[in-house]
Each structure stands twice: as C-alpha cells, then as structure tokens.
Amino acid sequence: MNMKTLVQRFVAVLGILAVLGIVGISVTPAAQAQQINPTAQSVTEESLFEALQDDQMVEGRVSIPDGLSSGLIKPGNPSWASTHTGLVRNLSIAAVVGAIVVLTLFYMIRGKIMVDGKMSGIRILRFTAIERFAHWLMAGSFIILALTGLNLVVGRTMILPWLGEGAFSTITIWGKIAHNYVGWAFMLGLTLSFLVWVAHNIPNKVDAEWVAQGGGLLKKGVHPPARKFNAGQKVIFWLTTLGGAALSFTGFMLLFPIVAGTQADWQFYQLIHGIVAAGLSFVIIAHIYIGSIGMEGAFDAMGTGEVDLNWAKEHHSLWVEEVQGKAKSGDSSARGTQPAE
Ligand code: HEM
C-alpha cells in the first residue's frame, strides 16, 4: 500500500467518524430530555412532570423519621389535586345550589307547613336541656365546619375575586384553624346526640305508614301518626350519625397523617371527606329549612324545648299519647312532658 492510498483510507475513516459524531450530536439532547436530573441541571417544573410517570417521584434525602417528606415532586399529586378542585368542588356547589333550588320549589308549591287546627296555647316539653345542648353543639359546630370547609374548596375561585387577597387570606387562615379545632366539638355533639336519641330512631311499622302518606308533607291536612321521631327524621338522624362518623374518622386521619398511613391513604381520606361533607350539607340545609321557616311551630322544640300541644298532636300523635299516658301513670321519665298552661 503506497502513501497516497494510506492517506485516502485515513481520510475515509475520519469521515465515517465525523458522520457518526454528527449523528451522536443530534441524538444526545433528545435522549437527555428524558432523563432529567434536578440536582445537575436547571429544569422547569413542567419538564419534570412531563418526564415522570404518575407513580414516579423526584426525591431528595432527609434525616428526620418521616421519610415521605423527601418527596419533592410527584406527578400523581396534581392529578389527585384535580379531583379536589374538580369533583369535590363541583359536588359541593351542586349540594348547596341544588338544596336551595329544591327548597325554593317546595316552598312555592307547598308553602309553609301550618298547624291545621289553631295553636292551643298549651305547651308540652319536647326536648330536655341535655337534648338541646347536644343538638346545638352538633349543629353550631357543623355549620362552622361546613362554611370553613366550603371556603377551602370554592373560596379561591368564588370568594377571592370579590374579597381581595388580604381579606381572603385572613379568613382562610383563621377558617382553617377553626376547622381543625371545631371538629372536636362536632364529634362530642354527634356522640351526645347519638346517645340521647338512638333509642327513638329504630325503624318500626309506624314508619311504613308515614312514608306511604308522604309524611303529610305533600298535601295539606294529612297527618300520618308518628312517635317521637317520624320516618323522615329517622333518615336525617342516621344520615347525620353515619355521615358525621365518616367525617370524624377521615378528618382525624387528615389531622394526624402519621397515623393514617401512606400518601395514597391521605388522598383517599381527603376525597371521602369532601364527598361526604357535600352530601351531608345537602341533607342538613333541607333539615334547617323544615326546622325553622318551613314549618310553623317547629323551631320552638329546639328553642325553648316546648311545643304547642296541637302541633305535637298533628306531627307526633303517638308520642303525645305515650307521654300523656306516662304522665298520668306517674312515670318519672315523663316529668315535664305534661301540658303546662
Ligand atoms: C340553624 C340550624 C338548625 C335548626 C334551626 C335546627 C332545628 C331543629 C329542630 C327544630 C329539631 C327538632 C324537630 C322536632 O321537634 O321534631 C331538630 C332536630 C334535629 N336536628 Fe337540627 N337544626 C339545625 C341544625 C342542625 C344541624 C347542623 C344538624 C346536624 C349536623 C342537625 C341535626 C338534627 C338531628 C339529627 C335532629 C333529630 C332528628 C330530626 O328531627 O330530624 N340540626 N333540629
């Protein structure tokens, strides 16, 4: 091989290497984009999300016992957060707006439910001080929790724009603190209400008759018999008890995430907490309507504790017979239930 051939071959090899080099240069950046290293190069959050799968995580290192706090970015989080700002938010709005629409229609069609006969002027004890204390502890705390919870879900989009950042952040910070602490008062009120009323809320044959007659809610002058609580109230009682228990359990887990388990568990508890809160709010708005402006004479039961005898006869006829029978026979459990003129 002469010198010229040798030089030609050397140049050819260099050419091939150069071509490979060019290919290499054009391929490498695309491949590197798939392997982002946050500590070695400056990256945007978006490119990290794009590069990772939902179940992957960008992790750092921590020396504290809570290893989960080393998670920096987890693409699963934004997709979970979107259920909170999507599903839970929509359900909450639907519950409040839906209840207002349904009750407005009910009011327009049926009107306020009045006592058909005149008020007798005779008062009968319906709820003792302990029952009223349990009810108002549960009711007052529930209303605070519902309003502060609703603010966490819809506040940023619906309240912030007209309240402004300063005022909104103040009420949201205090609302969050209130939500964390008032939850305990709700649990106490719920437990007390359950204990004082559970015996009166066991379903029985009388309830079937009440349901068959639409509870007398749909037609004027219809008064199906009922004991202390009618079938509709029993439904409210059990929804409050079971929904309240679910809210208490999931709320407890969210307050103490270290007890709750993994990140997936917290997300599950938060989702259930939001869905149950929306559902129970719908029921309770309807309850508040009937217990106040929707029915003549109803509020007194939880206000002073005493109701008019004719109101009681129309809405809870069997209960009136029961307590009057007990009062006549001198049963001490009926103390205070006899008419006080
Ligand atoms: C301003 C709000 C509220 C008012 C005016 C109100 C009114 C009433 C009244 C008048 C009663 C007795 C009905 C009767 O004599 O038969 C009652 C019962 C009851 N309340 Fe409330 N309430 C309110 C809020 C709440 C809340 C927030 C809850 C639950 C978280 C609740 C749960 C119950 C339960 C379980 C009963 C017994 C079952 C029933 O009557 O439906 N209440 N309420």
Side-chain angles (χ1 to χ4, degrees), residues 115 124 126 226-227 307-320:
V115 174
I124 176 170
R126 178 140 174 81
R227 293 200 176 128
V307 289
D308 190 271
L309 186 60
N310 279 355
W311 179 94
K313 281 182 176 167
E314 285 185 10
H315 298 295
H316 299 274
S317 53
L318 300 174
W319 171 73
V320 175

Side-chain angles (χ1 to χ4, degrees), residues 88-90 92-93 149-161 168:
V88 172
R89 181 175 171 275
N90 295 345
S92 306
I93 296 171
L150 196 64
N151 180 46
L152 293 178
V153 182
V154 305
R156 195 191 287 238
T157 47
M158 297 179 79
I159 302 174
L160 171 65
F168 176 72

Side-chain angles (χ1 to χ4, degrees), residues 126-127 135 138-139 142 197 233 284 287-288 298-299 301-302:
R126 178 140 174 81
F127 293 116
H135 174 266
M138 172 174 68
F142 181 89
W197 286 335
Q233 290 177 297
I284 291 302
H287 164 76
I288 292 175
F299 184 82
M302 278 301 166

Side-chain angles (χ1 to χ4, degrees), residues 31 47 85 97 126 136 178 242 294 311:
S47 57
T85 52
V97 176
R126 178 140 174 81
W136 287 120
L242 299 176
W311 179 94

Side-chain angles (χ1 to χ4, degrees), residues 116-136:
D116 286 334
K118 282 212 159 96
M119 290 288 194
S120 66
I122 301 170
R123 314 291 290 172
I124 176 170
L125 183 70
R126 178 140 174 81
F127 293 116
T128 62
I130 292 173
E131 287 173 301
R132 280 178 282 140
F133 172 75
H135 174 266
W136 287 120

Side-chain angles (χ1 to χ4, degrees), residues 44-292:
T44 62
E45 195 181 41
E46 206 180 337
S47 57
L48 280 172
F49 286 150
E50 276 168 13
L52 290 172
Q53 302 297 313
D54 254 24
D55 56 349
Q56 292 175 327
M57 173 152 59
V58 175
E59 271 186 293
R61 228 175 327 142
V62 288
S63 56
I64 58 171
D66 180 11
L68 285 173
S69 63
S70 64
L72 295 174
I73 295 179
K74 192 173 181 204
N77 283 351
S79 51
W80 159 75
S82 69
T83 61
H84 204 63
T85 52
L87 177 73
V88 172
R89 181 175 171 275
N90 295 345
L91 278 179
S92 306
I93 296 171
V96 176
V97 176
I100 293 170
V101 169
V102 169
L103 292 171
T104 308
L105 286 176
F106 181 74
Y107 181 77
M108 284 162 67
I109 297 166
R110 175 65 166 90
K112 183 168 180 162
I113 300 170
M114 306 297 284
V115 174
D116 286 334
K118 282 212 159 96
M119 290 288 194
S120 66
I122 301 170
R123 314 291 290 172
I124 176 170
L125 183 70
R126 178 140 174 81
F127 293 116
T128 62
I130 292 173
E131 287 173 301
R132 280 178 282 140
F133 172 75
H135 174 266
W136 287 120
L137 184 62
M138 172 174 68
S141 54
F142 181 89
I143 291 169
I144 294 172
L145 290 167
L147 293 177
T148 52
L150 196 64
N151 180 46
L152 293 178
V153 182
V154 305
R156 195 191 287 238
T157 47
M158 297 179 79
I159 302 174
L160 171 65
W162 59 266
L163 209 56
E165 282 178 0
F168 176 72
S169 66
T170 306
I171 64 155
T172 304
I173 289 165
W174 284 107
K176 180 74 186 86
I177 293 170
H179 200 89
N180 288 353
Y181 285 97
V182 172
W184 299 101
F186 175 71
M187 290 185 222
L188 181 62
L190 184 72
T191 310
L192 284 178
S193 302
F194 176 77
L195 293 175
V196 292
W197 286 335
V198 65
H200 298 286
N201 280 285
I202 311 298
N204 54 41
K205 271 189 284 177
V206 181
D207 299 325
E209 172 65 15
W210 190 90
V211 173
Q213 296 195 38
L217 293 172
L218 306 174
K219 258 198 207 160
K220 284 187 180 150
V222 177
H223 298 294
R227 293 200 176 128
K228 178 152 180 164
F229 292 119
N230 60 43
Q233 290 177 297
K234 288 180 184 177
V235 170
I236 305 263
F237 173 84
W238 285 110
L239 287 178
T240 304
T241 300
L242 299 176
L247 286 173
S248 304
F249 176 74
T250 51
F252 182 89
M253 290 304 186
L254 293 170
L255 275 179
F256 301 104
I258 203 87
V259 184
T262 66
Q263 213 169 354
D265 295 326
W266 312 338
Q267 295 179 353
F268 174 73
Y269 291 135
Q270 189 154 1
L271 191 64
I272 299 298
H273 197 76
I275 293 172
V276 174
L280 195 55
S281 297
F282 179 90
V283 173
I284 291 302
I285 294 172
H287 164 76
I288 292 175
Y289 168 79
I290 286 287
S292 56

